[in-house]
Amino acid sequence: MLALATTALGAYVLVAAGSITVPGSTNTLGPRAFPYLVGGMLVAAGVVLTVLILSGRAGEEEGGEDVDPTVRTDWLTVVLLVVTLVVHVFAINVVGWPFAAALLFAGAAVILGARPWWRAALVGLVLGLVIQVIFGGLLGLSLPAGPLLEGVPFLRG
Amino acid sequence: MDNFSALIDGFATVLHPMYLLYALFGVFIGTAVGVLPGIGPAMAIALLLPLTYTLEPTAAIILFAGIYYGGMYGGSTTSILLNTPGESASIVTAIEGNKMARAGRGAAALATAAIGSFVAGSLATVALTFLAPVIARWAVQLGEPDYFALMVVAFVTVGALLGSSVPRGIAALALGLFLGLVGTDTLTGQQRFTFGVLNLADGIDVVIVAVGLFAVGEALYVGSRMRHGPVRIIPVEKGWRTWMKRDDWRRSWKPWLRGAAIGFPVGTIPAGGADVATFLSYAAERRLAGPRRKQFGRGAIEGVAGPEAANNAASSGVLVPLLTLGLPTTATAAIIIVAFQSYGIQPGPLLLQSESALVWALIASLYIGNLMLVVLNLPLVGMWVKVLRIPRHYLYAGILLFGALGSYALNFSPVDVLLLALIGLAGFFMRRYGYPVAPLVVGMILGPMAEDRLRRSLAISQGDLTYLVSSPFAATAYVAIVVLLVVGLWLKRRERAEEA
């Protein structure tokens, strides 16, 4: 599937490279040449991989210390984690960074199997506030503290 | 001897208490991320990059050097004490070190790894000190086509060797090259592949891609098939007297030296990084073991001492092309280039002249960092074991949180975090289907540089393609690709045969 996506992207790059405007002043190699090269590489790699996969040689999955090679892929966890990340993004400007961070941490931890949920939430809240104090307050990163903590001076970025 | 005095100046800078603190902080973080499964030095530096914009360059570079070195030490602790291998460079250590730990000799394995890393790391840093100025002086004479040739060498070797499958490595590399294309063309000012989106006109930030692939992608992948239940760690006997006996010293010192001699040269050439060095050292030790050969595979101390030394020496070797040619040969080296660039410094042959104080401070900090690591590592093993016991759900939730923080802190725009989630998802699919992520990062960083060199070369030659191979250096480099590929792939095959 990824092989097909690679081929498709390569084909797109090849087509789109033709529509890059070339100013009259470029005499030799313009802004189109390198994209053509890259597009060609993508298509070539994609085609080779498609053939390999169709002939039964699928890729080796990456191993890791925390990866159990015997279980099947748990797609639900992946989807939930991405959703949590997206919720975090939209929460930043509404409730402020520390609380959005707590949401992300607690959400991800519970999805990955942290029990009981309130302990994960507590850890997340503490972590969010500590990061806000260190990076926002001490290192001067402008993390928005959010409406709830607006007045607290040492949290301001 | 002006290099020597420059090094002394470098030491004078680093020994400043403030910088010592940064170095200590760096090796501490580095060891922690090395010990923790799922995070490597590349990811740690990528994550810290946006958070350190407020630091001055010297402090940041010293910090990153500490992380780079610390990560290498930390990895061995994990592979010796945990049942499953840590970062790829120390997989060979896992074979012997793990067996030693199970036989109740974990402390000796940890000690020979740490002391060997110190010995080899220091020797390799000395070699770096003498070699870097020589190569930089020579590299000044290289022309545009020579640089383009070097980058092609890096592309091909990284794409073909930093993964288990050659076509998948090339595909990942091409994806990285594509991501590098997005944005405004530097020579003509034309927008390419920006889809009319204003945010993309400046290009996609490498930090987001690196954090997305390494941090978020890893967290999603582990989440999809997590090893549940408690983390199993082999207990280590207490007290420094159990570290190494006289016999262990006698059996270790030669592998340390041999490991350094193998690791450093392998690190300097783009041939697959530290993995190859550790494997070569392991094979050499086994061949030279003589009557003790039977012990290999059952916990031979030589099989820990040699590869660990080679691993550390190789990571110093990687700095030679990085500092003198601006050429990254591993993912971590590519991220360090980004770190330099974020301070407006372009690594290359002129670096030693234009940023001499910074470079020598960096080299001096390697000596100091090595010393700190050997002091820090052995007595604090108990603490690292505790770090290793962090419940996995908290660990990966924390990785996600820091990834989100790092990409948000780039521009303080939530859009970047969305992009991070998207790239993280791509990283998940790459892992799931066996595509290596390192070539992508290297391609994205080197791609724009290579395009620049290529177009400038052809502007000089007025479109004559033979100009690219006309210089003897460039011609040699293209021949070297073939040699490196054949040797590299042969070594990979041997390595796999060995593991099976």
Side-chain angles (χ1 to χ4, degrees):
Chain A
M1 190 186 73
L2 216 52
L4 287 178
T6 310
T7 321
L9 181 66
Y12 165 75
V13 171
L14 285 181
V15 173
S19 60
I20 295 171
T21 341
V22 180
S25 58
T26 17
N27 40 10
T28 50
L29 213 54
R32 283 184 190 178
F34 211 69
Y36 276 128
L37 210 67
V38 173
M41 257 175 89
L42 281 167
V43 170
V47 168
V48 169
L49 285 169
T50 314
V51 171
L52 276 182
I53 291 166
L54 288 180
S55 64
R57 275 172 282 177
E60 253 174 71
E61 282 174 40
E62 197 164 300
E65 300 92 339
D66 289 335
V67 175
D68 190 342
T70 53
V71 288
R72 294 183 53 191
T73 305
D74 178 2
W75 295 99
L76 183 65
T77 304
V78 178
V79 172
L80 284 178
L81 283 177
V82 174
V83 168
T84 316
L85 202 55
V86 172
V87 168
H88 162 75
V89 173
F90 288 103
I92 292 176
N93 284 337
V94 181
V95 294
W97 197 86
F99 297 108
L103 208 66
L104 172 61
F105 183 88
V110 171
I111 292 168
L112 290 174
R115 300 287 180 275
W117 65 269
W118 52 265
R119 192 187 292 157
L122 202 67
V123 174
L125 197 60
V126 171
L127 205 60
L129 289 172
V130 166
I131 292 175
Q132 179 78 23
V133 170
I134 293 178
F135 289 106
L138 297 178
L139 284 176
L141 233 54
S142 39
L143 295 173
L148 288 173
L149 301 170
E150 203 53 74
V152 190
F154 62 87
L155 291 179
R156 296 293 289 277
Chain B
M1 284 320 273
D2 55 330
N3 287 328
F4 187 69
S5 63
L7 180 64
I8 297 293
D9 284 348
F11 270 112
T13 311
V14 176
L15 288 175
H16 191 278
M18 201 58 210
Y19 290 131
L20 274 181
L21 220 59
Y22 278 117
L24 188 68
F25 186 58
V27 295
F28 208 75
I29 302 260
T31 315
V33 301
V35 167
L36 284 173
I39 350 182
M43 185 172 124
I45 297 178
L47 277 181
L48 278 175
L49 214 48
L51 308 176
T52 48
Y53 282 155
T54 46
L55 290 183
E56 43 144 347
T58 317
I61 295 296
I62 288 177
L63 180 69
F64 293 150
I67 295 178
Y68 182 63
Y69 252 52
M72 290 293 165
Y73 274 76
S76 61
T77 310
T78 315
S79 52
I80 290 169
L81 295 183
L82 206 61
N83 275 331
T84 39
E87 32 142 0
S88 56
S90 46
I91 283 179
V92 199
T93 319
I95 308 174
E96 301 300 331
N98 213 263
K99 293 270 160 51
M100 282 181 73
R102 280 160 195 241
R105 311 222 326 111
L110 287 171
T112 194
I115 301 171
S117 291
F118 169 71
V119 171
S122 302
L123 285 176
T125 311
V126 173
L128 170 71
T129 311
F130 285 101
L131 202 60
V134 178
I135 293 190
R137 212 170 300 135
W138 163 80
V140 175
Q141 305 157 5
L142 295 181
E144 299 286 336
D146 299 329
Y147 273 104
F148 181 67
L150 272 176
M151 285 168 182
V152 173
V153 174
F155 284 147
V156 174
T157 50
V158 164
L161 300 178
L162 283 186
S164 55
S165 146
V166 177
R168 286 181 181 79
I170 300 286
L173 176 72
L175 278 174
L177 289 174
F178 168 69
L179 289 178
L181 282 177
V182 175
T184 311
D185 175 28
T186 46
L187 292 183
T188 59
Q190 293 304 313
Q191 298 214 343
R192 297 191 291 190
F193 305 106
T194 55
F195 310 101
V197 180
L198 199 64
N199 281 22
L200 289 180
D202 291 334
I204 299 172
D205 204 300
V206 185
V207 171
I208 297 186
V209 175
V211 173
L213 287 179
F214 289 122
V216 181
E218 178 76 18
L220 291 179
Y221 183 59
V222 172
S224 77
R225 37 179 51 191
M226 196 144 73
R227 203 184 281 278
H228 289 282
V231 188
R232 267 193 297 260
I233 297 172
I234 306 165
V236 188
E237 57 274 43
K238 288 243 165 19
W240 63 271
R241 282 182 191 286
T242 59
W243 284 355
M244 279 175 83
K245 301 190 177 64
R246 183 187 291 265
D247 186 48
D248 295 331
W249 283 96
R250 200 173 49 74
R251 286 173 62 179
S252 288
W253 71 271
K254 276 191 211 148
W256 290 341
L257 297 184
R258 276 196 291 265
I262 292 171
F264 185 75
V266 171
T268 55
I269 55 168
D275 280 21
V276 177
T278 51
F279 165 69
L280 277 179
S281 164
Y282 184 75
E285 291 313 325
R286 193 159 74 160
R287 188 151 308 153
L288 292 169
R292 270 196 289 272
R293 196 160 169 176
K294 289 194 299 293
Q295 283 190 16
F296 275 77
R298 273 184 256 153
I301 194 164
E302 291 93 343
V304 181
E308 274 308 307
N311 179 14
N312 244 49
S315 49
S316 296
V318 166
L319 293 176
V320 174
L322 180 73
L323 294 176
T324 59
L325 302 168
L327 200 69
T329 50
T330 61
T332 318
I335 303 292
I336 294 179
I337 289 216
V338 177
F340 272 110
Q341 282 171 342
S342 70
Y343 288 102
I345 301 165
Q346 182 63 51
L350 295 175
L351 187 70
L352 269 171
Q353 290 163 31
S354 59
E355 295 290 340
S356 146
L358 179 70
V359 174
W360 288 110
L362 166 69
I363 294 178
S365 81
L366 294 181
Y367 287 99
I368 307 266
N370 248 317
L371 196 64
M372 283 179 174
L373 278 164
V374 77
V375 174
L376 208 72
N377 236 0
L378 288 176
L380 293 185
V381 151
M383 198 186 80
W384 301 130
V385 169
K386 280 212 186 69
V387 169
L388 207 49
R389 281 188 200 277
I390 291 180
R392 293 303 180 249
H393 41 258
Y394 286 145
L395 171 63
Y396 288 98
I399 290 175
L400 277 177
L401 175 59
F402 273 95
L405 169 65
S407 52
Y408 181 68
L410 277 177
N411 304 307
F412 300 100
S413 102
V415 181
D416 285 340
V417 192
L418 274 185
L419 191 60
L420 177 85
L422 207 66
I423 293 171
L425 206 57
F428 163 74
F429 280 109
M430 288 179 73
R431 280 186 171 73
R432 176 72 181 72
Y433 295 105
Y435 289 71
V437 290
L440 196 159
V441 176
V442 174
M444 186 177 173
I445 291 163
L446 265 187
M449 296 189 215
E451 184 186 10
D452 217 43
R453 300 282 186 191
L454 176 65
R455 285 163 72 180
R456 271 195 248 165
S457 316
L458 291 182
I460 297 169
S461 74
Q462 304 199 313
D464 182 7
L465 282 171
T466 56
Y467 180 61
L468 289 178
V469 291
S470 61
S471 93
F473 178 82
T476 319
Y478 290 115
V479 176
I481 292 182
V482 181
V483 178
L484 282 173
L485 266 188
V486 170
V487 173
L489 289 176
W490 178 74
L491 280 173
K492 286 253 153 180
R493 186 155 300 175
R494 290 260 336 253
E495 191 174 341
R496 221 165 304 161
E498 203 90 17
E499 277 166 18

